[in-house]
Short mmCIF file of all heavy atoms in Angstrom, two decimals:
data_model
loop_
_atom_site.label_atom_id
_atom_site.label_comp_id
_atom_site.label_asym_id
_atom_site.label_seq_id
_atom_site.Cartn_x
_atom_site.Cartn_y
_atom_site.Cartn_z
N ASN S 471 127.97 -132.00 -140.58
CA ASN S 471 127.46 -133.40 -140.62
C ASN S 471 128.15 -134.06 -141.86
O ASN S 471 128.35 -133.44 -142.90
CB ASN S 471 126.00 -133.61 -140.64
CG ASN S 471 125.31 -133.08 -139.47
OD1 ASN S 471 124.30 -132.72 -139.40
ND2 ASN S 471 125.93 -133.26 -138.33
N SER S 472 128.37 -135.42 -141.68
CA SER S 472 128.76 -136.22 -142.85
C SER S 472 127.62 -136.43 -143.81
O SER S 472 126.42 -136.16 -143.37
CB SER S 472 129.38 -137.55 -142.36
OG SER S 472 128.49 -138.26 -141.67
N PHE S 473 127.94 -137.05 -144.91
CA PHE S 473 126.82 -137.29 -145.92
C PHE S 473 125.88 -138.39 -145.26
O PHE S 473 124.71 -138.28 -145.39
CB PHE S 473 127.51 -137.90 -147.23
CG PHE S 473 126.38 -138.26 -148.23
CD1 PHE S 473 125.51 -137.33 -148.60
CD2 PHE S 473 126.29 -139.64 -148.80
CE1 PHE S 473 124.48 -137.62 -149.64
CE2 PHE S 473 125.32 -139.93 -149.68
CZ PHE S 473 124.47 -138.99 -150.11
N LYS S 474 126.51 -139.36 -144.54
CA LYS S 474 125.68 -140.41 -143.97
C LYS S 474 124.71 -139.67 -142.95
O LYS S 474 123.42 -140.09 -142.79
CB LYS S 474 126.54 -141.47 -143.26
CG LYS S 474 125.81 -142.48 -142.56
CD LYS S 474 126.68 -143.62 -142.00
CE LYS S 474 125.94 -144.76 -141.37
NZ LYS S 474 126.88 -145.69 -140.75
N GLU S 475 125.28 -138.81 -142.09
CA GLU S 475 124.47 -138.19 -141.00
C GLU S 475 123.34 -137.30 -141.65
O GLU S 475 122.24 -137.27 -141.09
CB GLU S 475 125.40 -137.30 -140.10
CG GLU S 475 126.33 -138.24 -139.29
CD GLU S 475 127.45 -137.37 -138.56
OE1 GLU S 475 127.65 -136.18 -139.08
OE2 GLU S 475 127.92 -137.73 -137.50
N ILE S 476 123.74 -136.63 -142.84
CA ILE S 476 122.63 -135.84 -143.46
C ILE S 476 121.51 -136.74 -143.98
O ILE S 476 120.37 -136.48 -143.80
CB ILE S 476 123.24 -135.15 -144.68
CG1 ILE S 476 124.27 -134.05 -144.12
CG2 ILE S 476 122.29 -134.46 -145.56
CD1 ILE S 476 123.65 -132.87 -143.55
N LEU S 477 121.90 -137.89 -144.60
CA LEU S 477 120.85 -138.76 -145.15
C LEU S 477 119.87 -139.34 -144.06
O LEU S 477 118.64 -139.23 -144.11
CB LEU S 477 121.52 -140.01 -145.84
CG LEU S 477 122.01 -139.78 -147.20
CD1 LEU S 477 122.81 -140.98 -147.60
CD2 LEU S 477 121.03 -139.40 -148.11
N ILE S 478 120.58 -139.71 -142.95
CA ILE S 478 119.72 -140.20 -141.83
C ILE S 478 118.80 -139.17 -141.23
O ILE S 478 117.60 -139.38 -140.94
CB ILE S 478 120.70 -140.82 -140.67
CG1 ILE S 478 121.35 -142.03 -141.19
CG2 ILE S 478 119.79 -141.15 -139.39
CD1 ILE S 478 122.50 -142.51 -140.30
N THR S 479 119.39 -138.01 -141.04
CA THR S 479 118.61 -136.86 -140.43
C THR S 479 117.44 -136.47 -141.42
O THR S 479 116.34 -136.26 -140.89
CB THR S 479 119.43 -135.71 -140.11
OG1 THR S 479 120.55 -136.08 -139.32
CG2 THR S 479 118.69 -134.72 -139.26
N LEU S 480 117.67 -136.40 -142.74
CA LEU S 480 116.71 -136.06 -143.64
C LEU S 480 115.54 -137.13 -143.61
O LEU S 480 114.33 -136.76 -143.74
CB LEU S 480 117.24 -136.03 -145.08
CG LEU S 480 118.02 -134.63 -145.46
CD1 LEU S 480 118.68 -134.86 -146.68
CD2 LEU S 480 117.11 -133.51 -145.48
N ILE S 481 115.90 -138.38 -143.54
CA ILE S 481 114.85 -139.51 -143.53
C ILE S 481 114.01 -139.56 -142.28
O ILE S 481 112.87 -139.91 -142.40
CB ILE S 481 115.64 -140.88 -143.83
CG1 ILE S 481 116.00 -140.89 -145.31
CG2 ILE S 481 114.72 -142.04 -143.37
CD1 ILE S 481 114.95 -141.16 -146.24
N ILE S 482 114.54 -139.24 -141.18
CA ILE S 482 113.96 -139.44 -139.81
C ILE S 482 112.58 -138.67 -139.88
O ILE S 482 111.57 -139.27 -139.34
CB ILE S 482 114.82 -139.06 -138.71
CG1 ILE S 482 115.90 -140.14 -138.42
CG2 ILE S 482 113.95 -138.87 -137.40
CD1 ILE S 482 116.93 -139.82 -137.35
N GLY S 483 112.66 -137.42 -140.23
CA GLY S 483 111.41 -136.53 -140.18
C GLY S 483 110.25 -137.17 -140.92
O GLY S 483 109.26 -137.49 -140.39
N PRO S 484 110.46 -137.32 -142.29
CA PRO S 484 109.35 -137.95 -143.10
C PRO S 484 108.96 -139.33 -142.59
O PRO S 484 107.87 -139.69 -142.71
CB PRO S 484 109.87 -137.95 -144.54
CG PRO S 484 110.94 -136.75 -144.51
CD PRO S 484 111.54 -136.81 -143.10
N TYR S 485 109.89 -140.11 -142.16
CA TYR S 485 109.73 -141.45 -141.67
C TYR S 485 108.79 -141.44 -140.52
O TYR S 485 107.86 -142.15 -140.37
CB TYR S 485 110.96 -142.23 -141.23
CG TYR S 485 110.78 -143.53 -140.79
CD1 TYR S 485 110.74 -144.58 -141.51
CD2 TYR S 485 110.64 -143.76 -139.34
CE1 TYR S 485 110.56 -145.92 -141.04
CE2 TYR S 485 110.50 -145.02 -138.76
CZ TYR S 485 110.52 -146.07 -139.69
OH TYR S 485 110.27 -147.33 -139.09
N LEU S 486 109.01 -140.53 -139.48
CA LEU S 486 108.16 -140.45 -138.29
C LEU S 486 106.80 -139.96 -138.70
O LEU S 486 105.80 -140.34 -138.24
CB LEU S 486 108.80 -139.44 -137.39
CG LEU S 486 110.00 -140.03 -136.56
CD1 LEU S 486 110.67 -138.97 -135.72
CD2 LEU S 486 109.66 -141.26 -135.73
N LEU S 487 106.75 -138.88 -139.67
CA LEU S 487 105.46 -138.33 -140.01
C LEU S 487 104.50 -139.41 -140.67
O LEU S 487 103.35 -139.56 -140.31
CB LEU S 487 105.60 -137.16 -141.04
CG LEU S 487 104.43 -136.57 -141.74
CD1 LEU S 487 103.47 -136.11 -140.67
CD2 LEU S 487 104.78 -135.52 -142.77
N THR S 488 105.10 -140.15 -141.70
CA THR S 488 104.35 -141.17 -142.32
C THR S 488 103.89 -142.38 -141.46
O THR S 488 102.76 -142.82 -141.56
CB THR S 488 105.12 -141.76 -143.60
OG1 THR S 488 106.43 -142.07 -143.21
CG2 THR S 488 105.12 -140.68 -144.73
N SER S 489 104.79 -142.60 -140.49
CA SER S 489 104.46 -143.62 -139.55
C SER S 489 103.25 -143.15 -138.76
O SER S 489 102.30 -144.07 -138.37
CB SER S 489 105.60 -144.00 -138.61
OG SER S 489 106.77 -144.47 -139.36
N PHE S 490 103.21 -141.96 -138.20
CA PHE S 490 102.26 -141.51 -137.37
C PHE S 490 100.87 -141.46 -138.19
O PHE S 490 99.96 -141.74 -137.60
CB PHE S 490 102.56 -140.15 -136.82
CG PHE S 490 103.45 -140.19 -135.55
CD1 PHE S 490 104.62 -139.43 -135.52
CD2 PHE S 490 103.14 -140.90 -134.54
CE1 PHE S 490 105.39 -139.51 -134.41
CE2 PHE S 490 103.89 -140.93 -133.30
CZ PHE S 490 105.03 -140.32 -133.34
N LEU S 491 101.03 -141.00 -139.41
CA LEU S 491 99.78 -140.76 -140.31
C LEU S 491 99.16 -142.17 -140.50
O LEU S 491 98.03 -142.32 -140.53
CB LEU S 491 100.24 -140.20 -141.62
CG LEU S 491 100.50 -138.68 -141.66
CD1 LEU S 491 100.95 -138.22 -143.05
CD2 LEU S 491 99.26 -137.85 -141.17
N LEU S 492 99.92 -143.24 -140.78
CA LEU S 492 99.46 -144.55 -141.00
C LEU S 492 98.74 -145.03 -139.79
O LEU S 492 97.54 -145.44 -139.87
CB LEU S 492 100.60 -145.50 -141.32
CG LEU S 492 100.14 -146.97 -141.50
CD1 LEU S 492 99.13 -146.98 -142.77
CD2 LEU S 492 101.30 -147.81 -141.91
N GLN S 493 99.35 -144.94 -138.60
CA GLN S 493 98.60 -145.47 -137.46
C GLN S 493 97.42 -144.57 -136.98
O GLN S 493 96.61 -145.05 -136.15
CB GLN S 493 99.61 -145.53 -136.27
CG GLN S 493 100.77 -146.53 -136.73
CD GLN S 493 100.38 -147.80 -137.22
OE1 GLN S 493 99.38 -148.49 -136.98
NE2 GLN S 493 101.12 -148.35 -138.30
N SER S 494 97.34 -143.31 -137.42
CA SER S 494 96.31 -142.41 -137.07
C SER S 494 95.00 -142.91 -137.80
O SER S 494 93.86 -142.61 -137.36
CB SER S 494 96.51 -141.03 -137.62
OG SER S 494 96.35 -140.86 -139.07
N GLY S 495 95.12 -143.64 -138.85
CA GLY S 495 93.89 -144.04 -139.70
C GLY S 495 93.48 -143.12 -140.74
O GLY S 495 92.52 -143.47 -141.57
N LEU S 496 94.09 -141.94 -140.96
CA LEU S 496 93.83 -140.97 -142.07
C LEU S 496 93.97 -141.67 -143.35
O LEU S 496 93.30 -141.32 -144.28
CB LEU S 496 94.74 -139.84 -141.88
CG LEU S 496 94.30 -138.75 -140.84
CD1 LEU S 496 95.44 -137.68 -140.63
CD2 LEU S 496 92.99 -138.04 -141.29
N PHE S 497 94.91 -142.54 -143.56
CA PHE S 497 95.16 -143.18 -144.77
C PHE S 497 94.62 -144.60 -144.95
O PHE S 497 94.84 -145.25 -145.75
CB PHE S 497 96.68 -143.16 -145.06
CG PHE S 497 97.18 -141.79 -145.49
CD1 PHE S 497 97.33 -140.81 -144.63
CD2 PHE S 497 97.46 -141.48 -146.84
CE1 PHE S 497 97.94 -139.59 -145.03
CE2 PHE S 497 97.89 -140.36 -147.21
CZ PHE S 497 98.08 -139.23 -146.16
N THR S 498 93.90 -144.99 -143.94
CA THR S 498 93.36 -146.43 -143.82
C THR S 498 91.94 -146.45 -143.48
O THR S 498 91.25 -147.28 -144.19
CB THR S 498 94.24 -147.28 -142.84
OG1 THR S 498 94.48 -146.54 -141.68
CG2 THR S 498 95.61 -147.72 -143.52
N ASP S 499 91.49 -145.76 -142.51
CA ASP S 499 90.04 -145.61 -142.05
C ASP S 499 89.48 -144.41 -142.69
O ASP S 499 89.07 -143.41 -141.96
CB ASP S 499 90.07 -145.60 -140.57
CG ASP S 499 88.64 -146.00 -139.95
OD1 ASP S 499 87.78 -146.37 -140.78
OD2 ASP S 499 88.45 -145.85 -138.77
N ARG S 500 89.27 -144.49 -143.92
CA ARG S 500 89.02 -143.23 -144.78
C ARG S 500 87.60 -142.83 -144.60
O ARG S 500 87.23 -141.72 -145.04
CB ARG S 500 89.62 -143.42 -146.16
CG ARG S 500 91.04 -143.70 -146.23
CD ARG S 500 91.49 -143.77 -147.61
NE ARG S 500 92.85 -144.31 -147.75
CZ ARG S 500 93.92 -143.64 -148.41
NH1 ARG S 500 93.75 -142.55 -149.02
NH2 ARG S 500 95.01 -144.23 -148.51
N SER S 501 86.78 -143.83 -144.43
CA SER S 501 85.26 -143.57 -144.16
C SER S 501 84.92 -143.91 -142.83
O SER S 501 83.95 -144.67 -142.61
CB SER S 501 84.52 -144.30 -145.29
OG SER S 501 85.01 -144.06 -146.58
N ARG S 502 85.65 -143.36 -141.89
CA ARG S 502 85.34 -143.76 -140.34
C ARG S 502 83.98 -143.43 -139.92
O ARG S 502 83.44 -144.33 -139.28
CB ARG S 502 86.45 -142.95 -139.64
CG ARG S 502 86.27 -143.10 -138.15
CD ARG S 502 87.32 -142.30 -137.22
NE ARG S 502 87.23 -140.90 -137.64
CZ ARG S 502 86.32 -140.09 -137.28
NH1 ARG S 502 85.35 -140.48 -136.33
NH2 ARG S 502 86.25 -138.76 -137.60
N GLU S 503 83.54 -142.42 -140.35
CA GLU S 503 82.07 -142.03 -139.76
C GLU S 503 81.06 -143.02 -140.29
O GLU S 503 80.18 -143.58 -139.59
CB GLU S 503 81.63 -140.66 -140.08
CG GLU S 503 82.38 -139.54 -139.34
CD GLU S 503 82.00 -138.15 -139.70
OE1 GLU S 503 81.57 -137.89 -140.88
OE2 GLU S 503 81.88 -137.33 -138.87
N ILE S 504 81.17 -143.38 -141.60
CA ILE S 504 80.23 -144.34 -142.13
C ILE S 504 80.54 -145.71 -141.45
O ILE S 504 79.52 -146.43 -141.24
CB ILE S 504 80.34 -144.42 -143.75
CG1 ILE S 504 79.83 -143.14 -144.27
CG2 ILE S 504 79.60 -145.67 -144.33
CD1 ILE S 504 79.77 -143.03 -145.72
N ARG S 505 81.71 -146.11 -141.31
CA ARG S 505 82.11 -147.42 -140.68
C ARG S 505 81.44 -147.48 -139.24
O ARG S 505 80.74 -148.53 -138.95
CB ARG S 505 83.53 -147.59 -140.58
CG ARG S 505 84.06 -148.84 -139.75
CD ARG S 505 85.41 -148.92 -139.69
NE ARG S 505 86.04 -147.83 -138.87
CZ ARG S 505 86.03 -147.69 -137.60
NH1 ARG S 505 85.35 -148.61 -136.92
NH2 ARG S 505 86.64 -146.73 -137.08
#
């Protein structure tokens, strides 16, 4: 892989993880049961 391809591939994984985590509510609906 080229440097550009390495950068893109390295970013995709954490990008997808953090996107999923945000929409899951784990980092936003932090007191869900009380709410």
Side-chain angles (χ1 to χ4, degrees):
N471 291 153
S472 65
F473 180 59
K474 181 179 180 180
E475 290 170 333
I476 291 285
L477 282 176
I478 292 171
T479 312
L480 282 172
I481 284 290
I482 285 175
Y485 178 87
L486 290 173
L487 173 60
T488 47
S489 299
F490 279 129
L491 285 175
L492 178 59
Q493 302 311 321
S494 74
L496 279 168
F497 285 77
T498 42
D499 195 8
R500 302 185 193 231
S501 303
R502 175 180 52 80
E503 289 184 322
I504 290 180
R505 175 184 60 77

